[in-house]
Amino acid sequence: MTPEMKGFILLSVLKMLLVFTVIMVGVALLTLMERKVSAWMQNRMGPNRVGWGGLLQPAADGVKNILKEETYPALASPWLFVLAPAMSFIPALLLSAVIPFAAPLPVDFDFTLGPLGRFAYHGPMPMVVADVPIGFLFVLAISSMGVYGIALAGWSSNSKYALLGGLRASAQMVSYEVAMGLSLIPVLLMSGNVSFAAIVRDQQAGLWYVLPLFLSFFIFLISGFAETNRLPFDLPEAESELIAGYHTEYSAMKFSFFFIAEYANVVTVCAMVTTLFFGGWDIPGRWDESGGLMQTLVTGAAFFLKLMFWIFFVMWIRWTLPRFRYDQLMALGWKVLMPLALAYIMVICTAIYGIEHWAGLVDPKARALALFGVNVVVGVLVFGLLDSGTFIKGSNRRQDTSKALSRATVTG
Amino acid sequence: MAIGVKVMRRPDKQVSYVRATLKGMALTFKHMFEPKVTMQYPEQKSTTDWSISQRWRGTHRMLTDEQGRSKCVACGLCPQICPANCIKLVPGEDEQGNRYPLIYEIDEFRCVFCGYCQEVCPEEAIHVGVHFENAEYTRGRFVYDLERLQSQTHAVSTLWDPTDPRGE
């Protein structure tokens, strides 16, 4: 093994440890943040008994969940019942490996470590555990694997509520994956590459994609909510109808695994939104591109701030909006978001072709600004249409149709 | 319709979900910075706008006379009226012919805190009190004997007076 290879492995292991620790601790703290945010939004205080301002509450919850009794339903399928939490937990954690979280760090070392031999690394180190060339395709592929865990949990519990929850989860996640995948095609058209590093580089050169690809961002965000199974799309859990949905029969740490998976998915979706549409670790201006330790730290902080904002946004939405009805959920996914994403791909294709070939703008910034102009027009049209309330019908509209139907039967 | 119920009119026209969502989010965000209504219970038991009612019927108290003896004359009215059958009374009589309770026990677990015992007592001896923190480690500790009832120090509750229904 060459010293360079060993140096690469050493750095990768360090990055893995860093990311894994941050994600696990972060997920634990997110449960506290969720409770605090929900409390503040309801004029309450939230947990404040354990630790300083409730900071140790996640640790207390963890200890409690580990010490609790593990129950196994009598007629559950024992292997799958145990396997399911792991199957939803692992893909959720796996995703954090491919998100770049700071500017590349210039590393230069060459040392010998006893019997292990020589370690060497020269040049910039990408601040991502695995800089995979397939980029967000990897995320789409692995995130869809999460549904296996949920569907299996629902099925193996041998409980009607859990089964319904699992069915709903698979239907919902499959439906919204379509819109999610399609909403990322404009990103691909803009950057010409699926790798996260390339996408961030293109956003540094031009504008953050949220401006030139606003609708993509909008569709991605909504599908992201649906993918994480959180309110307003938490039909797989739906306390009022299904008790707790797919994890009805789970207790103790196995239940916690579903929770960790949910929050890890939230982190991933927020990291995706940050990286794909908000420039990743980019700070506006030229300063962060010169490289160096300081730049890596500051861009890391910038990424973290953006990530925290989106996580807060997810919680904000959760504690604001009520749950969708099931037909509304399906209508939104298939009748609104998917056609919208398809139409948007056509618009962006045409616009990019037009800007590059007819208007002759090849500079990334000019191109992004021109696309932003296109987006303002498209955005006004789309939101005007959405705002008219013709796609997702409220209960009063349903009454209208039933009245019209009864009138038709009376007269007919 | 009951007083204080706000009836929302359903919109006749189509509903705007985009604007409604934004409005709702603005509302929840605004609430994050409003003063909290939580009362930090074990440390703080009353606030300026909330305190426990003087009519609260909680843990019993047996009042005593100047010599520190219980006012109870063991007439037997309270076990008679008690709907939960939680009062155990064994009457005794001294040489002067004064009746007093040999055993007077109230099972706070059985008690439904109706306050009839206080209402019926001719000597104003047994009272329900303005007190609710009576957790114990064993069930047996919930049977309060005479000595324990006498040693309670909390305020006794003010029962509902039909001539003064609002307690003014």
Side-chain angles (χ1 to χ4, degrees):
Chain A
M1 203 186 283
T2 61
E4 283 75 25
M5 190 66 195
K6 274 194 261 183
F8 172 74
I9 291 176
L10 176 72
L11 285 179
S12 293
V13 167
L14 288 180
K15 281 187 287 189
M16 268 182 228
L17 283 177
L18 174 74
V19 169
F20 186 74
T21 318
V22 167
I23 291 284
M24 289 309 283
V25 174
V27 159
L29 287 176
L30 282 188
T31 58
L32 174 69
M33 178 177 163
E34 170 107 61
R35 291 169 70 178
K36 278 284 187 188
V37 167
S38 71
W40 292 334
M41 283 182 175
Q42 297 162 356
N43 294 15
R44 296 182 287 116
M45 284 177 179
N48 61 355
R49 296 280 149 174
V50 196
W52 310 270
L55 212 59
L56 288 179
Q57 185 70 41
D61 291 344
V63 168
K64 175 200 157 197
N65 270 330
I66 287 170
L67 294 179
K68 264 179 98 166
E69 185 191 359
E70 301 264 356
T71 54
Y72 297 89
L75 291 173
S77 163
W79 280 103
L80 292 178
F81 189 72
V82 177
L83 194 64
M87 283 187 71
S88 64
F89 174 72
I90 290 169
L93 275 187
L94 214 54
L95 290 172
S96 55
V98 295
I99 308 281
F101 52 88
L105 179 69
V107 182
D108 194 20
F109 63 81
D110 193 340
F111 60 90
T112 311
L113 202 70
L116 289 173
R118 221 171 115 227
F119 290 83
Y121 196 95
H122 307 286
M125 173 184 69
M127 291 303 274
V128 49
V129 173
D131 193 9
V132 286
I134 51 170
F136 64 69
L137 295 182
F138 176 83
V139 173
L140 289 180
I142 299 294
S143 71
S144 22
M145 272 173 62
V147 76
Y148 284 112
I150 291 177
L152 275 180
W155 181 76
S156 66
S157 301
N158 195 23
S159 144
K160 52 186 175 292
Y161 299 114
L163 181 63
L164 281 172
L167 284 176
R168 280 184 177 191
S170 28
Q172 173 181 327
M173 290 176 88
V174 168
S175 309
Y176 276 81
E177 233 142 55
V178 179
M180 192 181 213
L182 288 176
S183 77
L184 290 183
I185 290 181
V187 174
L188 178 59
L189 291 171
M190 272 294 276
S191 68
N193 202 330
V194 285
S195 127
F196 283 117
I199 290 168
V200 171
R201 218 177 300 126
D202 194 61
Q203 293 185 76
Q204 281 180 319
L207 286 176
W208 289 0
Y209 283 172
V210 64
L211 293 177
L213 301 174
F214 182 75
L215 275 189
S216 267
F217 158 70
F218 181 68
I219 297 168
F220 184 84
L221 192 67
I222 293 180
S223 321
F225 280 122
E227 288 286 299
T228 51
N229 292 330
R230 286 172 65 84
L231 267 159
F233 300 106
D234 76 333
L235 285 113
E237 292 182 31
E239 299 91 349
S240 49
E241 305 151 31
L242 296 180
I243 303 182
Y246 58 88
H247 52 60
T248 304
E249 304 289 345
Y250 282 88
S251 63
M253 209 55 205
K254 291 206 292 306
F255 168 77
S256 276
F257 271 108
F258 283 115
F259 238 76
I260 297 170
E262 184 185 318
Y263 281 97
N265 276 325
V266 170
V267 173
T268 311
V269 166
C270 293
M272 287 273 282
V273 169
T274 309
T275 312
L276 296 176
F277 298 102
F278 285 84
W281 41 264
D282 180 39
I283 303 169
R286 287 274 89 96
W287 177 79
D288 57 322
E289 282 155 46
S290 51
L293 178 65
M294 201 57 209
Q295 271 78 358
T296 302
L297 290 179
V298 174
T299 48
F303 180 82
F304 179 74
L305 278 181
K306 291 181 207 176
L307 184 66
M308 282 323 277
F309 172 76
W310 285 109
I311 290 173
F312 169 74
F313 186 81
V314 168
M315 291 175 180
W316 185 9
I317 288 277
R318 165 163 184 185
W319 294 100
T320 303
L321 297 182
R323 187 182 306 128
F324 274 70
R325 227 190 307 134
Y326 201 70
D327 61 318
Q328 289 174 331
L329 173 91
M330 283 297 158
L332 182 69
W334 289 106
K335 292 186 192 163
V336 181
L337 293 185
M338 200 187 72
L340 189 63
L342 281 172
Y344 193 62
I345 292 171
M346 301 300 288
V347 171
I348 290 296
C349 274
T350 319
I352 289 181
Y353 187 86
I355 289 163
E356 286 185 354
H357 289 82
W358 303 327
L361 294 172
V362 281
D363 172 54
K365 194 148 262 170
R367 194 177 64 154
L369 278 173
L371 264 182
F372 174 55
V374 174
N375 261 274
V376 171
V377 179
V378 176
V380 167
L381 282 176
V382 167
F383 282 101
L385 212 60
L386 276 181
D387 203 32
S388 66
T390 36
F391 285 110
I392 312 161
K393 288 186 177 123
S395 50
N396 58 324
R397 299 264 298 157
R398 279 194 299 144
Q399 270 171 5
D400 287 354
T401 46
S402 63
K403 251 182 241 160
L405 270 178
S406 60
R407 216 178 297 130
T409 45
V410 166
T411 51
Chain B
M1 194 63 70
I3 300 163
V5 174
K6 195 170 159 189
V7 183
M8 304 295 286
R9 280 199 54 212
R10 286 237 177 225
D12 317 317
K13 295 239 176 78
Q14 287 167 345
V15 194
S16 155
Y17 290 99
V18 178
R19 270 173 285 161
T21 304
L22 294 177
K23 215 167 123 187
M25 287 176 70
L27 183 79
T28 43
F29 195 74
K30 202 178 76 201
H31 270 269
M32 287 186 76
F33 304 103
E34 281 179 4
K36 311 299 175 212
V37 294
T38 311
M39 196 169 90
Q40 294 291 312
Y41 160 63
E43 293 91 26
Q44 191 188 5
K45 288 178 183 168
S46 60
T47 55
T48 45
D49 56 352
W50 189 89
S51 62
I52 189 167
S53 167
Q54 282 312 297
R55 286 200 214 145
W56 176 273
R57 303 189 300 261
T59 319
H60 298 81
R61 235 190 110 177
M62 173 69 80
L63 295 193
T64 50
D65 58 14
E66 299 81 52
Q67 284 94 49
R69 295 173 308 192
S70 87
K71 283 184 176 176
C72 180
V73 294
C75 63
L77 279 175
C78 49
Q80 181 66 34
I81 200 155
C82 180
N85 199 12
C86 68
I87 304 177
K88 181 181 178 187
L89 171 65
V90 176
E93 202 173 320
D94 64 9
E95 299 81 48
Q96 286 90 45
N98 296 327
R99 284 165 63 92
Y100 66 97
L102 281 174
I103 299 173
Y104 191 95
E105 284 176 358
I106 296 186
D107 187 345
E108 300 284 340
F109 257 172
R110 292 199 66 138
C111 179
V112 294
F113 299 103
C114 59
Y116 282 2
C117 47
Q118 176 177 351
E119 212 160 316
V120 82
C121 186
E123 298 294 319
E124 297 193 342
I126 189 71
H127 282 80
V128 278
V130 187
H131 181 262
F132 53 90
E133 291 154 316
N134 37 13
E136 296 289 352
Y137 283 102
T138 56
R139 298 181 71 85
R141 291 273 297 155
F142 279 94
V143 181
Y144 284 42
D145 60 9
L146 186 60
E147 201 183 332
R148 194 146 164 228
L149 287 168
Q150 284 176 1
S151 61
Q152 304 286 334
T153 50
H154 53 258
V156 297
S157 49
T158 318
L159 288 184
W160 184 66
D161 182 359
T163 58
D164 178 22
R166 283 175 166 274
E168 283 152 353

